[in-house]
Amino acid sequence: MPASLRSTLYFSGTNALSMALRLIGDPIGKFYSSPDMVTFAKRTNKVSVQKSITGVLVSSNHQVCSEVLKSPNWLSRPFAERLYTGPTTYTPETIHPFLDSIIAIDGAEQRRIKKLMQPVFTPRVIDSWKETSLRIVNDLFSNVKEHGEFDFVASIANPLPLAVICEVIGVPKLYWEKCNIWGRTLAGIGLDLPKNNKELEELEATSLALTDLIGELLAIRRVKPEDDLISLLASAQTDGQKLSDKEIIASVAFTLIAGFETTMNLLSVGTLALLENPDQLALLARNQELIPNFIEEALRLSSPIQFVVRTADSPLVLADGTKAKAGQTVILNLAGANRDPAVFDKPDSFLIQRENAKKNVSFGFGAHHCIGSLLARVEAEVMWRELLRRFPDVESWKLTGTPKYRSGKLIKSLESLPMSFRVSQPSAF
Ligand code: HEM
């Protein structure tokens, strides 16, 4: 069957199924119809795990999400494989930024690749990224001063993590804007899945462009290594084994996307939360030692990755008594778990002194725990410290328009955040 006909049938089949599930009030129908995962959690949180008639389990419960993520028996690969080989023209020769990267590989293979990537993400190395982050933040803020009124996403929250991750990976500046555009497509269509043939074509062309670029950079770094992730992976070995080009290219491509689309959300939603809660902003400005805890609370509230999916490798029983068959899938609603009232008192309130804010599940747990969690925290700390230093008159921090969200389900991020600070003008006398 021609690929375009196969994908057309696929899309009409999934659209019809999601419509039917919505009509009968099935949890998966609610998943499709809820505007975001926090609303979805409120519609489905009566029991810790709900079961769809499709067999899929869903949970917004903190204990269940943590338990499944920590368990080696719940795998990432099977669902990713179903997802990306369903409608796409994926072949064994293709390099797929999700399917071929560590996020969709389990067990010993995943541990081998992650171990080789780890030297770029140790606390000591990440500490050296403080200086880089500060240099980039200063560059970006120098433009903000001139304007006074500006879009926080376009001016800071998007370019900062993009620049940092490109420098960590070793992507020359010439390609940063392209990576920004590709990241948007891959995080949007790629993670939420294409809804029609046009989106599918766009996704496949973008994946190819990104993996081609990383492939070219890999060839260059093999001849002339630099101090970056691509060069490290090009020469890295563990137990005498090297990574294949496919493993390097896919994992670097995935890291690029994972590194800025998520952090951008933390920075923008965290800043919006401060603007909407002036008492918390004033408290933070007076007590800057609260910044690390404020970052944890911003992570809890924003949940940059809203949900993840796992599949049981064998018949399993969860601590709450839920039974799963081998091959059964569970959607873990991280955004919901971060608002679980059994763990977080007043879960919808933004409280920078919340004692257990660190219990957020935003970076996941277990084998796939985010490799860039320290880097994201460093960028966030550097940015907010600098923001408070440059604009200490926090009463002047104001929203100047309505913040707009992007439509993504898996990554719910802000498209724009119009705001202003009062910048002290030099005296005329
Ligand atoms: C606020 C920022 C971030 C958030 C909320 C976040 C969240 C996550 C989550 C939830 C996972 C686990 C997904 C799963 O279990 O299926 C993950 C994995 C990952 N993240 Fe992040 N991330 C952030 C920043 C970063 C940064 C800056 C990098 C770049 C270095 C990065 C690279 C990765 C990679 C490579 C993985 C896959 C790890 C594996 O499969 O073992 N992330 N991230």
Side-chain angles (χ1 to χ4, degrees):
M1 189 191 304
S4 59
L5 177 59
R6 188 162 55 92
S7 51
T8 304
L9 290 175
Y10 175 90
F11 291 126
S12 21
T14 31
N15 290 342
L17 180 64
S18 74
M19 182 76 82
L21 293 172
R22 274 181 226 201
L23 288 174
I24 60 169
D26 183 88
I28 295 296
K30 289 181 187 160
F31 172 81
Y32 283 115
S33 64
S34 300
D36 56 55
M37 296 304 285
V38 172
T39 314
F40 172 68
K42 290 191 173 141
R43 289 179 186 171
T44 52
N45 69 356
K46 290 199 178 60
V47 287
S48 49
V49 179
Q50 285 214 342
K51 190 173 168 189
S52 154
I53 57 161
T54 59
V56 173
L57 306 172
V58 292
S59 180
S60 305
N61 178 281
H62 189 280
Q63 198 283 326
V64 171
C65 289
S66 312
E67 180 186 349
V68 172
L69 287 171
K70 285 174 188 168
S71 161
N73 299 109
W74 287 93
L75 309 177
S76 288
R77 181 77 189 171
F79 184 72
E81 215 159 47
R82 239 180 301 150
L83 211 59
Y84 295 116
T85 53
T88 62
T89 51
Y90 180 81
T91 66
E93 290 75 45
T94 320
I95 303 180
H96 194 290
F98 300 119
L99 198 50
D100 295 318
S101 77
I102 52 169
I103 196 71
I105 299 175
D106 296 298
E109 283 297 277
Q110 186 261 359
R111 285 195 294 278
R112 179 176 60 89
I113 303 174
K114 200 165 187 173
K115 196 171 156 193
L116 291 169
M117 292 174 75
Q118 217 81 53
V120 175
F121 299 102
T122 59
R124 198 178 47 81
V125 179
I126 297 296
D127 220 38
S128 73
W129 284 101
K130 259 190 195 162
E131 246 172 72
T132 309
S133 302
L134 188 58
R135 169 174 47 80
I136 298 168
V137 164
N138 277 328
D139 263 9
L140 296 170
F141 276 130
S142 58
N143 296 329
V144 167
K145 263 199 155 182
E146 286 164 25
H147 301 131
E149 194 174 309
F150 68 106
D151 176 8
F152 186 80
V153 176
S155 306
I156 312 285
N158 182 350
L160 168 63
L162 174 71
V164 171
I165 197 64
C166 282
E167 291 205 16
V168 168
I169 285 175
V171 177
K173 203 166 184 175
L174 173 68
Y175 300 107
W176 291 5
E177 194 40 44
K178 273 191 179 158
C179 288
N180 197 21
I181 296 166
W182 294 339
R184 197 176 170 150
T185 304
L186 289 169
I189 306 175
L191 291 174
D192 282 352
L193 284 196
K195 291 174 202 61
N196 50 48
N197 281 336
K198 189 171 164 282
E199 284 192 357
L200 177 61
E201 279 166 26
E202 190 184 343
L203 176 64
E204 293 192 338
T206 304
S207 300
L208 190 64
L210 175 61
T211 49
D212 275 356
L213 171 65
I214 306 292
E216 279 167 33
L217 294 174
L218 177 61
I220 296 170
R221 294 300 196 282
R222 283 229 158 91
V223 182
K224 195 172 170 290
E226 307 241 346
D227 190 14
D228 55 40
L229 181 65
I230 301 185
S231 307
L232 176 98
L233 293 181
S235 61
Q237 288 199 25
T238 174
D239 307 327
Q241 273 195 315
K242 283 193 169 189
L243 291 175
S244 70
D245 280 9
K246 187 170 184 160
E247 288 168 332
I248 298 177
I249 294 169
S251 290
V252 169
F254 175 76
T255 304
L256 178 74
I257 310 307
F260 79 92
E261 283 286 339
T262 48
T263 313
M264 175 171 118
N265 192 19
L266 167 65
L267 303 181
S268 49
V269 176
T271 302
L272 175 60
L274 288 174
L275 293 171
E276 288 177 338
N277 296 274
D279 60 322
Q280 298 296 300
L281 173 56
L283 181 65
L284 188 66
R286 283 197 308 274
N287 305 280
Q288 297 195 15
E289 72 283 358
L290 286 175
I291 289 178
N293 203 61
F294 148 65
I295 292 173
E296 296 308 313
E297 179 68 345
L299 278 162
R300 186 189 72 81
L301 203 82
S302 61
S303 301
I305 303 262
Q306 298 262 296
F307 65 91
V308 297
V309 181
R310 293 290 191 269
T311 303
D313 70 350
S314 52
L316 299 170
V317 184
L318 294 177
D320 72 348
T322 302
K323 288 189 179 131
K325 295 182 192 138
Q328 193 157 12
T329 291
V330 61
I331 298 177
L332 303 171
N333 179 3
L334 304 184
N338 277 336
R339 310 271 184 124
D340 186 338
V343 178
F344 302 107
D345 197 26
K346 297 191 190 148
D348 294 329
S349 301
F350 174 66
L351 303 167
I352 64 167
Q353 285 172 303
R354 187 185 288 282
E355 276 179 13
N356 65 354
K358 251 198 147 158
K359 279 200 157 184
N360 73 74
V361 296
S362 292
F363 288 121
F365 291 114
H368 291 281
H369 179 261
C370 178
I371 203 170
S373 59
L374 289 179
L375 180 61
R377 286 186 173 110
V378 161
E379 287 176 51
E381 179 157 354
V382 166
M383 188 211 69
W384 274 309
R385 272 195 197 287
E386 195 54 22
L387 207 59
L388 290 165
R389 192 189 68 78
R390 284 177 178 252
F391 308 102
D393 175 12
V394 291
E395 277 184 26
S396 76
W397 294 25
K398 294 278 179 284
L399 266 176
T400 53
T402 311
K404 280 200 196 82
Y405 280 90
R406 291 189 186 170
S407 60
K409 206 160 196 94
L410 196 137
I411 297 192
K412 181 169 183 278
S413 56
L414 274 169
E415 171 81 52
S416 65
L417 177 55
M419 65 174 294
S420 69
F421 304 109
R422 188 164 56 232
V423 182
S424 30
Q425 299 296 328
S427 163
F429 301 100

